[in-house]
Every structure is written in C-alpha cells, then in structure tokens.
Amino acid sequence: MVKLFKLFICCMLIFGLTSCSNNGASGANNIANGTYEGVGKGKGGDITLNVTIEDDHITNIEVISHNETTGFDSAMDTLKDKVLKYNSIDIDTVSGATLTSKGFLSAIENALTNANASKDMLAKAEINDQEVERQEIEEEYDVVVIGAGGAGFSAAIEAKNAGANVIILEKMPAVGGNTLISGAEYAAPNNWLQKEEGLEDSVDLMVEDMLVGGDNKNNPELVRVVAENALDGALWLKDEVGVIWEDELMFFGGHSVKRSLIPLNASGVEIVTKLNEKAQSMDIPIYLNTKATELIVEDGKVVGVKAVGEDNDYTFKCDAVVMATGGFGSNVEMRIQYNPEIDETILSTNSVGSTGDGIIMAQEIGADVEGMEYIQTYPICDPLTGTLLYFDDARLYGHTIIVNKEGKRFVEELGRRDEMSLAIKAQTGNVCYELVDQNGFVESKLEENHAQELEYLYENDLLVKADTLQEIAEFFGVDYEALQETVDNYNTYVENGEDPEFNKRSLPSKIETAPYYMIKAAPAVHHTMGGLVINTDAQVLNTDGEVIEGLYAAGEVTGGIHGTNRLGSCALADITVFGRIAGQNAAEYSK
Ligand code: ADP
C-alpha cells in the first residue's frame, strides 16, 4: 500500500499536480499528454482555460471563464486558431485587444507550467504558408459599407431594409470601433423619459446647445438633421434593433436640459452587440480583417472599393459606397498634420482602427474636408495606454486637486477638457497627478463603481494609497514640501469658498482625511470633430462643393456636425441618424 502511494506521488510530480485529466502516456514526448488548466490576467481580470496536449501539440484550447469586453473577446478565437496552427504561443497579439491577447497567451503558458512544461517544449509545427496563394476576388453588391461601427451598421441595416444587396467591410478582427468602447449615451430631445420626468425640451434647444458647444463652427443644417431625427433614431434602436435603454437619463455638460439616454450598463457593448445581431439576422455579410484601401471611380462616379483581406485581395463592384470608417484619433501623423499640438506625446482613448482611412481614401478622389484641426482630448487618462480613467469621477464631483511633479497646481480642475489637456501636456513628463482624500474617495463611489480599474492602477503603479502625503509624494517622486503647501493652501480656499489661484468653480471638501489616493494621468485624444464634408443627404462633396456621385459618409469620418467641440452623448445620435440616412440614400441611388 505504501509502495503504491509512493508510486502515485511520483506520478503526480512527473505529470503535474494541476492537470485536470492526464492519461500519463507521455511516450517519447517532452510533455505528458493531458488537459491542463491555466490562468492569465486579461483586461477584465482572470482568463481561465483548459489546454489539451497530445504528442507535444496543443490540440485544443477551451476558455472556461473570462470577463473580457464583448467584442474584444473574439480576439481569443483569433489567437486560438493561430496557436493551434503554429503550435506556439509566440504569436502577435491581436491589434486593438492587446491586454486580452496577453492574458489569453499567458493563460496558455500557465497551463504549460502546470504540465511541468515550457513553451519551448512544444513541437515545431510544419507550416508552409507559401502554399496558400493569395487570390484576386471580385464580388458585386448594390452598396458597400466600409466600417463596422455604429454608423456603418446603421447604414447597412437601413440599406438592406430598402432592398439593397449590401456588405460591410471591417479591417479589424472584431466589429465595433470606437462605438464599442464608448459609454454610448445618446442625446434625444423630447424623449419618453423626459416626458415622465416632466422635463421641457425641444429640437431647437438641442440645436442651440450643439452650436454653442461647438463655438458655432458647426454646419447648422447638419446639426438640425441630427437634432430633428435623434429621437426617431433612439426609438429605431430600441424597437427595430433591440437596444435596451436604461430607465434614467444623464445630464452631460453643455446641454441645457437632461436629455441623454443610457444604454444597458452605460456601454457601447449593448449598441454594437444588438446592431451586429440585427445585421446577422438580415444576412448582411461582414468581412472582418478586410481593409478597404481605395475607391474605384468611373466617369466621376464611385463604382467600387478595393480591399485587402488576410488571405485574399478584393475588388468590390457596387453602385454606392457608404464611408463609415470613424475618426483619426489613433493616427499620430495625421493629427500633427492638422493640429501640431496633438502630437505623439498624447495617447488616445480610441480604438486602434481610428486612423482616418476613409478621409484619406475619399480625399484621393477629390473629397473635401472640414474642421480637421478640432481634436478633442480627455485630460485624465492612463499614461500607459490612453484609456479614459474613471477615477476622474472624483474630479467631476469636485473632490480632487491636480498637481505636477513639482507639487504645484497649474490649472482649474473643473475647466474645459481642451484647456486642461494642453496644460497637463506642458508639465514635466507630460503628466499630472490627481489627489483625493478618503472622504472624496468614498463620496465619489470609486470603489463601488470602478473596483476593476483601481486594481489595474495599483498593479501598474499608477495609483498609490497611503496614510501620509509624504508617502504619496515619494511614491511618484513628486516634491513633498511643495505638495504639502499646495494642499494647505487649497484647504484654506475651501474654507473661504474661493480659489484665488485658479478659480475652481466647486470647492466641496478639504483634502485632509487619511488615507490619501493619488493617480498619475495624462490626456488622450478622444474624438476628432473634423472629417469629410457632407450635405444633409449624407452625400460627400468635393472641393468645389459638388456631390461625388455614389459616395455617402456617416459618423466620426464626417466633419461639420460638432464644430470645435463635441458635446457628450451627441456622437451616438449623430452616427445613428446619419448612418441611417446614408444607408437609405445609398440604397435608393443604387436602384
Ligand atoms: P463611428 O462611430 O463613426 O461608427 P467607429 O469608430 O465606431 O466609428 O467605427 C468605425 C469602424 O471602421 C471601426 O470598426 C474601424 O476599424 C473601421 N475601419 C476603419 N478604417 C477601415 C478600413 N480602411 N477598412 C475597413 N474598416 C475600417
């Protein structure tokens, strides 16, 4: 019995204590055949999966649990295919889903560790990629929609509804674009929730708010189209597409009245998931990993699109194209070209797919652009990735101060996004440090609402919690004595109800209750207001102000709607309204 037990222990040590099932038949292999569990850290926390190994080959990967954002989770399918194909985990991460990719690959590595193996012990796969020749494929549609964000989906669904044969091209491995990663609130005047609350609103008021917010650099006709059709668009999303709107409204800055609908969980995931499901149910083909590169023009009319897929090159012939490729927030060169202030020192909250392709493609055939220099930045973002940080809610509640490395305040903490961003960019290291005390931390519900973000910030040394200001300052190398003086002065301003230095418009609480919390943050590009010039029918105009026949555009790729500055929650209204118009008109034109 004792002998048997010893044998069992030996086997356990050899074949890995954590293997889920293990037939022990290692033969001449490096790794014992079996199924092993592995855990890796993705964007949303742990990714847990089972990896099956046979004859030193990974033969299956089964994700057991994860908390990655819908849309980004498809990166794991892409990676799974590649890992199985190459029998390796040394493969590129999926662009736009870096953290999910890293988490997935490290979970497999962890499973190998649990199999008492390493990635180098996997057999070398015999792959001859050269065998597969790229094909030149030609297809024909009535309407080609470029871009699978909110505008592209809205256009495609409406074009199909109007009887057109339509396809969507998407260059990324997953649909959604910026729409997916936004909060996706939607400004709709005269909506049902306003009526329930007895709030007075009107189309005219929304027009006025957007014009004032955009410093009157917007095209008032386009603004009116958005405001007039916003409610109908929200109802269409609810009734036709199945989007669930929450039962309350949000009040965004620059609006005169509370008018913004909130999608389920205040996330673009709800919008994109439902649009995608709707498109699938209508049999609209969506070609992923397919990047449109060129518009085909004959006799001055757009008659097709060239595109590059993973394995094939395409020519899509069509009667009309809807350009819905989003903005250019992730294209540094293009940003600098139009606004040198927004250079490479500023990261971006945007999807990596927002590179202005549609603007460039259309310009190449004579399209006009407007407002390209108007680029909105958000001041408090992750200095490593550019992701918007919700720790900043504490600032919006009025509880924080923002200092530089020298320990001094340098801007009004409740000022305009653009002014704050430029001020931060001018500080040492192009970063700032935002400080809140325990009282402000609790009042702002940071732990309650953003626990996952806080965990990420701690892990990446971007957030420190300590009992003294000295410890806080030392963690980030901020000048402690200056910081102490800044806080003392600020507390006097709170007492007096007036900030003589920066005129902070709300001074609700002193910074005096330990523990203290400080984050390091930097501004990041959030939205590009400029883009292709369109008319109220979503037709793209050339530099002579004439319609380019067969070319329509909608969404962040267009200019003129938001002027110098987009108000929060107006983008969703814009992309839905103009996406639908572009789709309907492109379908009509194709008849
Ligand atoms: P909008 O809010 O205007 O709909 P999004 O950013 O949500 O904009 O969506 C734009 C989509 O277009 C993104 O998914 C992006 O990856 C895609 N896209 C951008 N350039 C191309 C291109 N050249 N070919 C195909 N898809 C593109």
Side-chain angles (χ1 to χ4, degrees):
M1 186 66 195
V2 174
K3 263 188 185 167
L4 259 180
F5 182 66
K6 275 186 182 162
L7 189 67
F8 171 67
I9 293 290
C10 275
C11 285
M12 289 296 278
L13 287 173
I14 290 166
F15 298 130
L17 285 165
T18 44
S19 91
C20 307
S21 70
N22 188 330
N23 64 18
S26 67
N29 300 329
N30 294 317
I31 311 170
N33 291 349
T35 299
Y36 303 91
E37 187 175 296
V39 183
K41 266 233 172 311
K43 188 159 196 269
D46 284 351
I47 297 173
T48 306
L49 42 71
N50 275 341
V51 176
T52 303
I53 310 269
E54 281 168 34
D55 301 334
D56 292 340
H57 286 82
I58 298 177
T59 55
N60 194 25
I61 301 163
E62 191 197 344
V63 176
I64 301 169
S65 63
H66 73 82
N67 196 21
E68 301 306 283
T69 314
T70 312
F72 290 93
D73 55 358
S74 64
M76 294 190 277
D77 297 330
T78 308
L79 290 170
K80 175 181 169 179
D81 290 347
K82 291 203 170 145
V83 169
L84 295 180
K85 179 174 172 187
Y86 294 103
N87 197 39
S88 167
I89 56 171
D90 290 326
I91 51 179
D92 289 342
T93 54
V94 174
S95 66
T98 312
L99 294 178
T100 303
S101 302
K102 284 186 175 162
F104 180 78
L105 293 171
S106 68
I108 301 175
E109 187 157 24
N110 178 243
L112 288 170
T113 308
N114 288 338
N116 287 329
S118 73
K119 58 184 183 169
D120 303 324
M121 288 158 72
L122 290 166
K124 208 167 154 27
E126 284 162 26
I127 306 277
N128 187 357
D129 278 339
Q130 304 310 317
E131 274 173 19
V132 190
E133 241 181 63
R134 288 184 76 78
Q135 308 255 335
E136 289 276 345
I137 294 178
E138 195 174 298
E139 295 180 10
E140 221 171 308
Y141 296 89
D142 298 329
V143 176
V144 174
V145 174
I146 311 178
F153 272 119
S154 302
I157 292 167
E158 286 295 59
K160 183 89 181 191
N161 274 334
N165 183 21
V166 57
I167 183 175
I168 306 178
L169 310 181
E170 170 55 55
K171 71 174 176 182
M172 302 297 287
V175 300
N178 272 352
T179 310
L180 182 74
I181 55 177
S182 71
E185 285 83 13
Y186 186 123
N190 300 324
N191 67 58
W192 59 97
L193 294 175
Q194 285 182 318
K195 297 226 162 86
E196 277 174 22
E197 283 193 47
L199 295 170
E200 283 283 318
D201 197 5
S202 69
V203 167
D204 286 348
L205 194 56
M206 175 151 160
V207 170
E208 198 185 310
D209 288 346
M210 285 178 72
L211 290 174
V212 170
D215 292 325
N216 276 301
K217 297 284 182 199
N218 343 39
N219 174 339
E221 285 188 354
L222 299 181
V223 174
R224 183 157 288 279
V225 171
V226 173
E228 267 174 358
N229 295 285
L231 177 57
D232 192 43
L235 289 168
W236 177 78
L237 284 172
K238 176 162 80 71
D239 300 332
E240 302 287 320
V241 180
V243 165
I244 296 173
W245 298 113
E246 301 267 14
D247 257 350
E248 55 180 335
L249 293 170
M250 254 189 199
F251 202 156
F252 275 83
H255 293 270
S256 311
V257 61
K258 199 160 64 150
R259 60 161 71 101
S260 304
L261 299 163
I262 308 168
L264 186 67
N265 299 326
S267 163
V269 171
E270 168 68 4
I271 305 279
V272 171
T273 307
K274 296 291 168 61
L275 284 169
N276 193 17
E277 280 170 12
K278 178 74 182 173
Q280 308 272 355
S281 75
M282 295 171 84
D283 291 328
I284 297 172
I286 304 167
Y287 284 13
L288 298 176
N289 294 306
T290 305
K291 180 180 176 176
T293 52
E294 197 183 322
L295 293 168
I296 305 168
V297 180
E298 274 170 22
D299 300 329
K301 296 177 184 166
V302 173
V303 293
V305 179
K306 285 194 183 273
V308 179
E310 267 198 315
D311 303 319
N312 302 310
D313 295 326
Y314 293 94
T315 300
F316 296 99
K317 292 199 159 167
C318 61
D319 296 318
V321 170
V322 176
M323 197 61 89
T325 47
F328 59 96
S330 295
N331 184 335
V332 177
E333 257 176 50
M334 198 161 164
R335 277 166 21 195
I336 296 174
Q337 177 190 347
Y338 290 104
N339 187 339
E341 291 275 14
I342 315 292
D343 61 17
E344 70 285 350
T345 58
I346 305 188
L347 291 165
S348 169
T349 64
N350 284 193
S351 145
V352 289
S354 300
T355 47
D357 302 10
I359 296 172
I360 297 166
M361 272 185 275
Q363 277 182 308
E364 277 166 1
I365 64 153
D368 201 6
V369 291
E370 66 178 302
M372 295 294 284
E373 67 277 33
Y374 304 135
I375 299 176
Q376 185 173 79
T377 50
Y378 194 85
I380 303 295
C381 300
D382 179 343
L384 302 177
T385 65
T387 307
L388 195 149
L389 295 179
Y390 289 100
F391 182 95
D392 195 43
D393 284 1
R395 177 177 67 86
L396 301 174
Y397 281 104
H399 295 303
T400 66
I401 57 166
I402 291 177
V403 298
N404 55 19
K405 196 142 187 115
E406 291 72 31
K408 301 214 160 103
R409 290 172 70 212
F410 53 89
V411 72
E412 193 220 337
E413 288 83 353
L414 290 170
R416 278 173 64 145
R417 288 174 178 184
D418 52 353
E419 283 166 9
M420 287 182 64
S421 299
L422 286 180
I424 294 166
K425 188 177 163 254
Q427 306 306 310
T428 307
N430 315 115
V431 294
C432 69
Y433 302 88
E434 185 165 12
L435 176 72
V436 67
D437 73 352
Q438 179 66 13
N439 168 46
F441 186 85
V442 172
E443 290 284 310
S444 314
K445 306 187 191 89
L446 294 186
E447 191 72 58
E448 223 168 294
N449 291 341
H450 307 300
Q452 203 171 300
E453 178 187 288
L454 296 177
E455 194 188 326
Y456 162 84
L457 291 172
Y458 281 127
E459 273 174 15
N460 287 279
D461 291 341
L462 294 171
L463 167 62
V464 58
K465 171 184 178 182
D467 281 333
T468 65
L469 284 180
Q470 184 159 7
E471 281 173 78
I472 289 274
E474 278 168 6
F475 184 84
F476 285 124
V478 167
D479 184 323
Y480 161 59
E481 273 160 28
L483 178 68
Q484 186 66 61
E485 194 184 334
T486 301
V487 171
D488 291 343
N489 287 341
Y490 178 77
N491 287 343
T492 320
Y493 306 157
V494 175
E495 238 168 64
N496 299 337
E498 197 186 344
D499 166 15
E501 276 187 284
F502 298 100
N503 254 325
K504 189 173 172 211
R505 61 197 81 189
S506 168
L507 298 159
S509 60
K510 289 185 183 179
I511 296 178
E512 58 181 1
T513 313
Y516 301 95
Y517 304 79
M518 182 182 261
I519 57 162
K520 181 177 176 180
V525 172
H526 195 45
H527 189 95
T528 49
M529 271 70 68
L532 300 175
V533 178
I534 56 165
N535 61 19
T536 51
D537 288 326
Q539 292 172 294
V540 177
L541 305 186
N542 67 19
T543 46
D544 294 325
E546 296 157 343
V547 165
I548 300 177
E549 284 198 44
L551 185 59
Y552 298 78
E556 201 179 338
V557 72
T558 63
I561 292 161
H562 305 287
T564 58
N565 172 48
R566 175 182 66 80
L567 296 185
S569 77
C570 284
L572 245 288
D574 166 18
I575 66 176
T576 309
V577 166
F578 270 108
R580 295 181 69 200
I581 292 174
Q584 288 157 359
N585 290 344
E588 186 57 35
Y589 174 82
S590 75
K591 282 182 184 160

